[in-house]
Amino acid sequence: MKMKAIGYTTNGAIDRADALIDLEIEQPTAKGHDILVKVAAVSVNPVDTKVRQNRPAEGDTPVILGWDAVGEVVEIGDKVSQFKTGDQVWYAGAINRPGTNAEYHLVDARIVGRAPKTIETSAAAALPLTTLTAQEMILDRLKVTDPVPGAANAIVIIGGAGGVGSIAIQLLRQQTDLTIIATASRAETQDWVKELGAHHVVDHSKPLPEQIAALNIGAPAFVFSTNYSETYVPQIAEFIAPQGRFGLIDDPKGFDIMPFKGKAVSIHWELMFTRSLFTTDDIARQGEILDTVAGLIDAGKVRSTATESFGTINAENLKRAHALIESGRAKGKIVLEGF
């Protein structure tokens, strides 16, 4: 049986006519730990653009992008016990498998959660990848509930208005008592991070140490960098507390860690695909995280970070979404719904 999908056969720039194309491919079948999901809505992340630019297709097999989805379980593998057909689910998928820009999508049930019930499907689709990235960084990598001796009980989020920063601010407000300092440079993004719960906003286009010192709260224990991490290293090394913890999620072309040695700052990478990529013993933690956050959403404590809807899931609309993300002007998340 054939299904609709969007992908490419030649990687490269988004302004090419065939950068993303509408396709018809074979519908997969669920086996083992997998479930087959009828995709209702997706969102677009920076990883989509990076893969599209850099990953070549293998032979004639197109690359299908997409690492966020909400949909209905229509088939389950023989090793799946936590879901049944008809369940509404959300997840971020795996980087080494075909993506969610398709009518039907196969995913390991262990990295899947039950979708929130109180928000629209498209609003929910904005959250899985960024939620997993933020929660894993906050609790599993930086371990923000474990204080840094003598440091201010505070975290600086560099790039607070992006998809990850937007959900990280909310999760920190709901799960910790940390003072949240978010960086944003434009009036609209500064207002956005304040609305989401940041206690303080500083401008990352200006020197950060002076702005953070002016808050009179002391040296922050934690820094969570979502973009341009290599350019902020000297500044972070200056304002972070001794024995503080620094986490990053982007892909610096060069990254000098020596400025952190004097303060014995620990460095933590987060990649939310690690658990699925290596089928780690704790792979099911991703499903648990998504269930936890769905509960926070349904309790009215966390809101969607969807800011723009680009219509139905097709090549033309996905190309527009990719172009906006690559422009660096996106705020929150871009969602698409239905085929």
Side-chain angles (χ1 to χ4, degrees):
M1 185 182 298
K2 296 287 187 178
M3 67 174 184
K4 294 179 182 178
I6 297 91
Y8 64 85
T9 54
T10 304
N11 60 299
I14 195 61
D15 58 2
R16 293 172 28 249
D18 62 347
L20 291 171
I21 54 178
D22 294 304
L23 302 162
E24 278 202 349
I25 61 174
E26 290 296 325
Q27 180 177 314
T29 301
K31 299 176 182 178
H33 288 288
D34 283 348
I35 55 175
L36 183 65
V37 177
K38 181 176 173 56
V39 174
V42 301
S43 70
V44 183
N45 294 280
V47 65
D48 298 51
T49 69
K50 293 173 185 175
V51 172
R52 192 208 73 248
Q53 291 166 0
N54 298 300
R55 180 189 293 176
E58 296 182 5
D60 296 328
T61 303
V63 177
I64 309 300
L65 302 174
W67 288 282
D68 263 330
V70 177
E72 177 186 348
V73 178
V74 295
E75 190 175 290
I76 60 174
D78 58 285
K79 294 183 179 180
V80 176
S81 59
Q82 66 270 51
F83 296 110
K84 63 182 186 302
T85 57
D87 284 346
Q88 299 296 311
V89 296
W90 66 335
Y91 58 91
I95 193 70
N96 58 337
R97 301 186 66 176
T100 59
N101 293 340
E103 280 188 283
Y104 294 89
H105 183 248
L106 273 184
V107 61
D108 190 316
R110 293 170 292 184
I111 61 173
V112 174
R114 296 183 184 279
K117 301 174 182 177
T118 58
I119 60 175
E120 296 292 330
T121 300
S122 57
L127 291 170
L129 186 147
T130 53
T131 291
L132 289 165
T133 300
Q135 189 81 322
E136 288 183 352
M137 177 62 87
I138 292 164
L139 298 182
D140 299 353
R141 316 295 178 225
L142 292 178
K143 299 186 184 299
V144 299
T145 56
D146 181 9
V148 172
N153 190 38
I155 184 169
V156 177
I157 302 178
I158 295 175
V164 173
S166 295
I167 188 63
I169 291 168
Q170 297 184 77
L171 293 175
L172 285 161
R173 282 299 296 257
Q174 293 302 321
Q175 298 173 116
T176 77
D177 61 354
L178 280 117
T179 296
I180 304 162
I181 306 164
T183 81
S185 60
R186 291 178 283 140
E188 63 176 302
T189 52
Q190 290 174 349
D191 290 343
W192 171 251
V193 297
K194 289 176 185 175
E195 187 180 333
L196 293 174
H199 296 95
H200 304 284
V201 184
V202 295
D203 184 346
H204 50 235
S205 70
K206 301 174 182 176
L208 294 175
E210 292 88 341
Q211 296 179 76
I212 291 170
L215 299 176
N216 293 316
I217 61 172
F222 311 104
V223 177
F224 181 178
S225 179
T226 69
N227 53 33
Y228 304 110
S229 295
E230 70 275 20
T231 67
Y232 293 105
V233 166
Q235 296 185 67
I236 295 167
E238 182 177 342
F239 70 69
I240 196 171
Q243 302 184 92
R245 302 181 202 128
F246 169 56
L248 68 160
I249 61 171
D250 56 331
D251 304 297
K253 291 183 172 62
F255 188 64
D256 181 9
I257 65 173
M258 288 306 296
F260 295 117
K261 182 177 180 180
K263 288 184 176 178
V265 171
S266 57
I267 300 164
H268 304 265
W269 287 96
E270 160 59 18
L271 177 67
M272 55 92 15
F273 294 121
T274 296
R275 285 179 161 123
S276 57
L277 190 59
F278 294 96
T279 319
T280 60
D281 287 351
D282 62 351
I283 187 173
R285 173 147 171 75
Q286 293 206 327
E288 295 165 2
I289 288 172
L290 290 170
D291 284 342
T292 296
V293 176
L296 290 172
I297 291 168
D298 289 339
K301 296 179 178 179
V302 168
R303 56 181 274 192
S304 174
T305 56
T307 51
E308 295 195 67
S309 175
F310 274 28
T312 57
I313 305 167
N314 60 40
E316 180 183 356
N317 290 336
L318 282 165
K319 284 172 72 174
R320 290 196 297 126
H322 279 231
L324 179 57
I325 288 174
E326 290 179 21
S327 76
R329 304 288 293 179
K331 178 187 75 174
K333 292 293 294 293
I334 302 165
V335 298
L336 301 93
E337 186 172 14
F339 282 86

